[in-house]
Amino acid sequence: MNFVQFLKSLDDFLYEAMSWLIFYPITMARTVRHPQSMMNYADTELGDRKEEQYTDTLSPPLFLLLTLILSHLIELALVGENPIVKSNRGVSMLIDDDTSLLLMRLAIFSIFPLIMAAGLLRRQGTRFTRATLKLPFYSQCYVAAPFAFLVGFAATIAQCHWIWSGGAALAMMAIAFLWYGTQQARWFASHLHIGLVRGFGIASIGMIECVIVCIIVLPLLA
């Protein structure tokens, strides 16, 4: 790569990164206000040509990643370095800086979209391929982002040891799971053409599967 090509790449990256300051809050606001519409939007955008996809929002995986970065920055501002980084036990030995911690959180919160997407394909009787899994996974990343932010913020508040921090953290955690579970129930009901009650049951099973995987992983980080 010559110097001119490097400058062009830098120019493109700078514009893309700065545009996140505009499109991130737009994407978050639309996801919080109209989560089902955004999940359907993700489906339709993947059908467009690559250069025409997500022209007025962030792509779902990028949206999830930036949300986790924002959550992490808030944690650093309020409580400083996470105890996991300082720990030398279990898998924590592999997490020696904020970057590796962020990557671990991204992997954990990506479990939720993956399991929910796989659950939909399994119940639809659709063959698992990279193409068929991508569509529901992208849809799920949109609602996973606000969920991850609330869970992360609740965990941060719990570390502050304020008088009200414990109750506030539990309340935020409950709101996060209630909101996320509701969106999953509606999503399954819509895509499987079933009632909301059955959708809630399928969503509950999926969330239990996600939590079990996290419970298996998280103690290793303590």
Side-chain angles (χ1 to χ4, degrees):
M1 179 182 294
N2 58 40
F3 185 68
V4 175
Q5 290 176 321
F6 171 75
L7 289 179
K8 177 61 177 175
S9 299
L10 182 62
D11 178 69
D12 292 339
F13 173 75
L14 180 61
Y15 172 73
E16 181 66 22
M18 290 300 98
S19 71
W20 296 344
L21 297 176
I22 301 294
F23 292 113
Y24 178 81
I26 289 175
T27 306
M28 177 61 81
R30 289 176 59 179
T31 302
V32 172
R33 292 178 59 190
H34 308 290
Q36 296 300 311
S37 296
M38 287 298 288
M39 296 175 84
N40 294 333
Y41 167 81
D43 290 343
T44 58
E45 287 297 295
L46 283 178
D48 294 340
R49 291 184 299 177
K50 188 172 183 179
E51 62 272 13
E52 297 177 352
Q53 294 176 0
Y54 307 106
T55 56
D56 57 347
T57 60
L58 298 179
S59 69
L62 177 60
F63 178 51
L64 177 58
L65 173 60
L66 292 180
T67 300
L68 289 173
I69 292 175
L70 176 60
S71 176
H72 185 67
L73 291 176
I74 292 174
E75 179 185 34
L76 289 176
L78 291 180
V79 300
E81 194 171 56
N82 192 287
I84 291 177
V85 178
K86 303 175 183 179
S87 176
N88 292 317
R89 293 179 295 169
V91 180
S92 297
M93 296 178 63
L94 303 176
I95 304 176
D96 56 1
D97 56 27
D98 291 315
T99 300
S100 55
L101 176 60
L102 184 60
L103 290 175
M104 179 61 70
R105 285 173 171 169
L106 178 61
I108 289 174
F109 281 105
S110 294
I111 289 172
F112 286 82
L114 181 65
I115 289 180
M116 293 299 183
L120 178 67
L121 295 184
R122 187 171 66 248
R123 288 171 175 83
Q124 288 178 329
T126 303
R127 180 170 172 263
F128 281 82
T129 66
R130 295 179 64 88
T132 59
L133 185 61
K134 185 177 183 179
L135 200 67
F137 178 80
Y138 267 51
S139 294
Q140 285 289 329
C141 281
Y142 269 138
V143 293
F147 170 69
F149 181 82
L150 277 178
V151 171
F153 190 61
T156 298
I157 292 298
Q159 295 179 65
C160 291
H161 303 295
W162 298 323
I163 296 176
W164 50 269
S165 61
L170 287 176
M172 279 188 282
M173 197 74 72
I175 291 172
F177 276 90
L178 180 61
W179 181 85
Y180 186 70
T182 300
Q183 303 314 317
Q184 296 306 326
R186 295 176 61 191
W187 187 72
F188 279 113
S190 174
H191 283 73
L192 297 177
H193 306 290
I194 57 178
L196 193 59
V197 174
R198 286 188 61 192
F200 179 79
I202 294 173
S204 298
I205 293 173
M207 291 183 69
I208 290 173
E209 292 172 346
C210 295
V211 171
I212 288 175
V213 173
C214 291
I215 288 176
I216 292 173
V217 173
L218 288 178
L220 300 176
L221 305 179

